[in-house]
Amino acid sequence: MALSSGFAPAISGANNESVFLCKSRVPAQIVPSSSYRKLGCGKSSGRMAIAIPRCEVAREIGISDSKASSISALEQLKTSALDRYLKERSSILVIGLSVHTAPVEMREKLAIPEAEWPRAIEELCNLYHIEEAAVLSTCNRMEIYVVALSMHRGIREVKEWMSKTSGIPTSELGQHLFLLRDNDATQHLFQVAAGLDSLVLGEGQILAQVRQVVRSGEGVKGFGRNVSGLFKSAITAGKRVRAETNIAAGAVSVSSAAVELALMKLPKSEIPSARMLVIGAGKMGKLVIKHLASKGCNKIVVVNRSEERVSEIREEIKDVEIIYKPLQEMLSCAANADVVFTSTASETPLFLREHVEGLPPVNPKLGGVRMFIDISVPRNVGACVSELDNVRVYNVDDLKEVVEANKEDRYRKAMEAQAIILDEMKQFEAWRDSLETVPTIKRLRSKVEGIRLAELEKCLSKMKDLSKKERKAIDDLSRGIVNKILHGPMQCLRCDSSDSTTLSEALENMHALERMFDLHTESAVLEQKIKAKVEQSEK
């Protein structure tokens, strides 16, 4: 394996931790699944959390500024780091936190606006061991999906990146993060897309958000074939679950759960007369308005920056009186409201204690308590507001109360959905396995083409008097012979990824051809990946 000499400075330039080499011989500790939740790894399902040992600078390499030392370092790289990389296939990893593992205070610090997802992907792929990346950031979760050259080093780099972007120390972050690899990561995303990991079973909004990850990743360099295929398969799984089960019945979004929570807290006889205020007319706000209308509310005040969106909602929902108010009148509108829903993208709170404590009391028939239901992340209502006696503040974490309403039905539908997810997982894994034959096909053709050209050159050098037409005829003849010889082996490498038997045979044929033709495909592919990372780090 021949690496460019530019790789040596990339190693010698490391200060505290080696980019590719790890001196530590302590294996990663496998933590039993019984400790999974304690480590902030979500639901316990037989999966395992991984505690990663720290990698220090491999000083034994003995790198100096001289060319000889650089070559020596690269030779050692071949027999040490490369061997370790070849022992593991590039892993699909998900590292993140959700409403199940972290409080809203932490999730809002890590939240990444949709417009910044492409930038985050590029930053992640600039890390030394990350090949591909995707970001799924919603009010209930912040998850980073990556394809890593090395699992342990990739995890460490992503955790450090998350700490740097959020300002949360890695030690504190680690208490809430969950980590899943390959099949478990695939299953998790498919469950997320199907709404099985949501607070409200089967909520439809998350599938749209997963679909948006694919849209945002189009044209972004780091949103590669594996990650793109993973998310597209997740969308297929999510659509199948909704089409083939009754999972979307009842409350199916955060917005609908927010409305149900509000109505649970109000006396039933007073619901028609309760004064409703919705702040924000985006996707979430629009859904809140729709669900309020479906529950019998006939008058809703909507505060928004512009009237255009409110007018569109008014045209769509004609049986309800929807009153628009500009953002400047937000506090006066809140003074005349019994229930306030907030769903804006503001990065700072709209309501603090000093804004709310002076508001007039609400109707005693409603308990004399004004409700703020905040479904925004970051939160629109400051935590200090909940300290007031005449106010109750609920955020996305409080929607769990609504979810608990129908557990038995939820579990039954989830079991039906799991069968669909497992079927889609098999198809995705088969597709990913089928990709392994592609480098072998390319390398085999390249090697045989090299032989053809060399032999053709020898032949033509002995036949000086050939015309241009005759030379072309010989060239075409050699190409035809090579193509006919390669046809059989190439057919044995190509397969239908949905047929596991054919796939297994194709992989066996691939390994046989690699041995027969001395292709060393894995080393060649890894060398190419490392070279790309080195060139990227030198820019």
Side-chain angles (χ1 to χ4, degrees), residues 262-327:
L263 300 184
M264 283 171 60
K265 302 296 181 182
L266 291 171
K268 287 186 178 180
S269 60
E270 300 300 326
I271 289 176
S273 62
R275 297 170 297 176
M276 301 292 183
L277 170 63
V278 178
I279 300 175
K283 293 177 183 177
M284 299 281 277
K286 180 179 178 180
L287 287 172
V288 168
I289 296 168
K290 280 187 171 182
H291 291 299
L292 285 172
S294 69
K295 296 297 182 179
C297 296
N298 49 34
K299 182 179 179 180
I300 304 168
V301 177
V302 182
V303 171
N304 198 53
R305 290 185 183 278
S306 65
E307 189 175 2
E308 183 180 354
R309 284 188 177 179
V310 180
S311 298
E312 291 174 359
I313 296 172
R314 192 185 290 124
E315 285 295 316
E316 189 174 337
I317 309 171
K318 296 184 178 181
D319 296 334
V320 178
E321 183 183 0
I322 298 175
I323 302 169
Y324 164 75
K325 294 291 182 181
L327 195 60

Side-chain angles (χ1 to χ4, degrees), residues 7-273:
F7 189 65
I11 298 176
S12 60
N15 295 323
N16 298 318
E17 294 185 306
S18 168
V19 172
F20 288 101
L21 304 179
C22 176
K23 185 168 70 177
S24 172
R25 294 292 180 261
V26 180
Q29 298 175 7
I30 304 299
V31 183
S33 59
S34 58
S35 304
Y36 199 75
R37 184 173 292 279
K38 185 178 179 182
L39 290 173
C41 299
K43 47 195 174 298
S44 175
S45 59
R47 304 169 185 168
M48 293 185 173
I50 302 174
I52 300 96
R54 184 175 178 83
C55 298
E56 299 179 355
V57 181
R59 300 184 185 280
E60 68 269 20
I61 286 182
I63 299 173
S64 69
D65 294 332
S66 67
K67 185 176 180 180
S69 295
S70 296
I71 295 172
S72 175
L74 291 172
E75 289 300 319
Q76 291 190 44
L77 174 66
K78 294 178 189 176
T79 57
S80 58
L82 180 60
D83 286 343
R84 292 200 294 274
Y85 281 104
L86 287 175
K87 287 177 183 176
E88 56 175 306
R89 172 187 182 181
S90 289
S91 301
I92 292 180
L93 305 170
V94 55
I95 305 164
L97 42 76
S98 71
V99 67
H100 305 298
T101 69
V104 66
E105 293 87 355
M106 179 168 285
R107 299 201 307 276
E108 63 189 4
K109 289 180 182 178
L110 282 156
I112 300 176
E114 187 180 304
E116 295 183 26
W117 289 356
R119 174 194 58 79
I121 291 172
E122 291 177 0
E123 287 185 7
L124 286 163
C125 290
N126 282 335
L127 301 175
Y128 286 108
H129 295 87
I130 303 304
E131 297 179 74
E132 303 177 24
V135 174
L136 176 60
S137 181
T138 73
C139 61
N140 283 333
R141 66 188 68 252
M142 160 54 178
E143 298 176 356
I144 294 175
Y145 293 80
V146 297
V147 175
L149 274 168
S150 167
M151 182 183 75
H152 300 299
R153 296 167 182 80
I155 292 167
R156 174 174 56 81
E157 289 172 355
V158 172
K159 284 178 66 178
E160 289 174 353
W161 180 86
M162 293 176 77
S163 175
K164 181 180 177 182
T165 56
S166 66
I168 303 172
T170 53
S171 57
E172 183 182 348
L173 198 58
Q175 297 173 23
H176 300 278
L177 288 178
F178 65 83
L179 161 67
L180 298 169
R181 177 188 183 188
D182 291 330
N183 282 348
D184 286 338
T186 301
Q187 183 178 25
H188 173 74
L189 180 58
F190 285 18
Q191 289 173 338
V192 168
L196 300 187
D197 197 59
S198 301
L199 277 178
V200 183
L201 182 72
E203 63 140 318
Q205 192 171 2
I206 187 62
L207 181 59
Q209 290 162 332
V210 170
R211 190 179 285 112
Q212 190 57 37
V213 172
V214 176
R215 293 197 190 102
S216 298
E218 289 177 357
V220 180
K221 187 177 180 182
F223 193 73
R225 178 168 54 182
N226 287 278
V227 167
S228 174
L230 173 65
F231 273 80
K232 288 176 180 176
S233 295
I235 292 168
T236 300
K239 289 167 68 177
R240 276 194 63 193
V241 166
R242 284 169 175 79
E244 298 176 27
T245 72
N246 196 28
I247 202 168
V252 294
S253 71
V254 171
S255 303
S256 62
V259 171
E260 287 195 17
L261 177 62
L263 300 184
M264 283 171 60
K265 302 296 181 182
L266 291 171
K268 287 186 178 180
S269 60
E270 300 300 326
I271 289 176
S273 62

